[in-house]
Amino acid sequence: MLRIAIQKSGRLSEKSLELLSEAGINFANSERKLVAKAGNFPVEALYLRDDDIPQCVADGVADVGIVGENVVMEKGYKLEVVERLGFGKCRLSLAIPKNIDYEKLSWFNGRKIATSYPNILRKFLVQNGVKADIHEISGSVEISTGIGIAEAIFDIVSSGSTLISNGLKEVVEAAKSEAVMVGKNSRLTAEKKEILDTLLFRLHAVQKGRKNKYVLLNAPLEKVDKITAVIPGMKSPTVVPLAQSGWCSIHSVLPDNEFWEIIEKLKKLGAQGILVMPIEKMIV
Ligand code: ATP
Ligand code: ZN
């Protein structure tokens, strides 16, 4: 049995459970007790506050955990990132009141900065030769400048709308974060390692599927070479003749991040009837 620590309730909870579910691992009880066994896979979920997950994994109470990299960095336990999960993306940034003219990092010398991430901030300031006063608070960091607790903040930013609505502007990005699966591989028994490997195999298939799209298009035969040259493809695209002579259908997989550029090129080369479909799992 492999025990996975998951955030009990918060921004990462649903997405963590969704990812595991797509990997065929479902936890029966919806009311989330502390521990829940999966129905058809030797895994149990341990539901915790995200702040407690790194320590639980470090101590061996859980074998792996799904948590934001920001929390892992802040807590400082020696853990391995077993898998990057591609959700919960955000950054840790310094922000100051929007009316301040800001030029460079030395502005922060001697200033008071409020944060819930004192360790990450301290490291960043030392690395950049800035001496500031770190004021640790546990929540609502974004209101600290408004109420006079601090002159700047260091906090998680994703869209930036929280900063804007508190009259702040982001001036320095210190780190990026996303949800990760962390563990301590060296400590796992052979049995747990095997379960983790199976789980990772499934997670890769799900994640690869999420990062790609399946594309079908019709193309004039004389353009097939040019069109297939534009498609990165898995190995090579499938080319199927159509009933209408001189035309064929091309099937392939396109990476999500280059998707639109490739589609534009395909259209210019004469591709028609382009169909795009999500891929549920991809095993290569
Ligand atoms: P808990 O009650 O478990 O301690 P929390 O309030 O500390 O939860 P959440 O707000 O649920 O934490 O955020 C969990 C994680 O989601 C963060 O640590 C971060 O990695 C990620 N995240 C992504 N985008 C954002 C964002 N815009 N604001 C806050 N966290 C974000
Ligand atoms: Zn927390």
Side-chain angles (χ1 to χ4, degrees):
M1 185 74 74
L2 186 82
R3 189 182 265 183
I4 305 182
I6 295 171
Q7 190 186 21
K8 186 175 168 66
S9 82
R11 287 172 193 266
L12 302 181
S13 314
E14 291 312 316
K15 288 195 167 140
S16 305
L17 290 173
E18 198 182 288
L19 178 65
L20 292 170
S21 173
E22 282 180 41
I25 298 160
N26 293 293
F27 302 99
N29 71 319
S30 52
E31 286 154 48
R32 294 202 203 158
K33 297 178 202 146
L34 180 62
V35 190
K37 278 195 171 62
N40 47 358
F41 197 78
V43 153
E44 59 186 7
L46 180 63
Y47 297 110
L48 299 171
R49 282 200 58 192
D50 67 345
D51 312 69
D52 298 331
I53 292 177
Q55 187 180 4
C56 270
V57 176
D59 291 350
V61 175
D63 299 307
V64 289
I66 297 181
V67 63
E69 256 176 318
N70 51 315
V71 177
V72 180
M73 285 189 270
E74 178 61 26
K75 300 292 175 190
Y77 295 101
K78 275 215 148 119
L79 300 173
E80 294 143 39
V81 172
V82 183
E83 184 79 3
R84 311 186 69 79
L85 302 175
F87 60 87
K89 285 192 177 168
C90 55
R91 50 197 189 270
L92 282 159
S93 293
L94 283 160
I96 61 173
K98 66 168 191 283
N99 54 351
I100 291 177
D101 282 334
Y102 174 86
E103 275 178 17
K104 50 184 194 294
L105 213 50
S106 58
W107 181 88
F108 288 97
N109 273 313
R111 308 272 180 182
K112 198 168 178 185
I113 311 171
T115 188
S116 316
Y117 296 92
N119 294 324
I120 300 176
L121 177 58
R122 193 170 302 116
K123 231 182 184 167
F124 176 79
L125 294 176
V126 168
Q127 275 167 3
N128 289 281
V130 176
K131 284 206 169 72
D133 177 12
I134 299 175
H135 184 77
E136 182 177 353
I137 53 177
S138 59
S140 307
V141 172
E142 66 282 357
I143 63 166
S144 343
T145 58
I147 58 174
I149 291 179
E151 297 161 276
I153 67 159
F154 178 68
D155 203 8
I156 280 179
V157 183
S158 53
S159 70
S161 57
T162 309
L163 294 183
I164 292 168
S165 58
N166 285 282
L168 296 163
K169 63 179 175 187
E170 185 179 358
V171 288
V172 186
E173 178 186 310
K176 281 197 194 309
S177 174
E178 70 182 275
V180 289
M181 181 179 278
V182 286
K184 269 199 135 177
N185 270 339
S186 54
R187 210 188 28 218
L188 294 183
T189 60
E191 182 215 349
K192 289 187 184 215
K193 267 202 181 106
E194 202 178 315
I195 301 169
L196 181 59
D197 282 346
T198 310
L199 172 61
L200 289 174
F201 172 80
R202 295 188 185 186
L203 291 182
H204 288 155
V206 174
Q207 298 217 80
K208 209 154 174 42
R210 287 181 177 182
K211 284 185 194 151
N212 290 279
K213 295 273 184 283
Y214 193 73
V215 179
L216 298 150
L217 56 88
N218 294 336
L221 277 177
E222 74 268 14
K223 291 282 172 62
V224 168
D225 287 348
K226 281 199 171 140
I227 286 180
T228 53
V230 172
I231 300 175
M234 294 216 282
K235 280 211 176 84
S236 68
T238 308
V239 181
V240 189
L242 287 183
Q244 189 183 351
S245 74
W247 282 80
C248 66
S249 169
I250 299 177
H251 306 190
S252 193
V253 172
L254 295 185
D256 223 16
N257 54 355
E258 300 167 46
F259 178 78
W260 286 111
E261 289 106 272
I262 297 172
I263 292 289
E264 297 304 327
K265 286 184 194 162
L266 294 174
K267 266 174 59 197
K268 282 197 185 115
L269 288 167
Q272 292 180 6
I274 304 174
L275 290 181
V276 180
M277 283 168 282
I279 298 173
E280 199 179 286
K281 278 147 197 119
M282 207 166 139
I283 296 145
V284 287

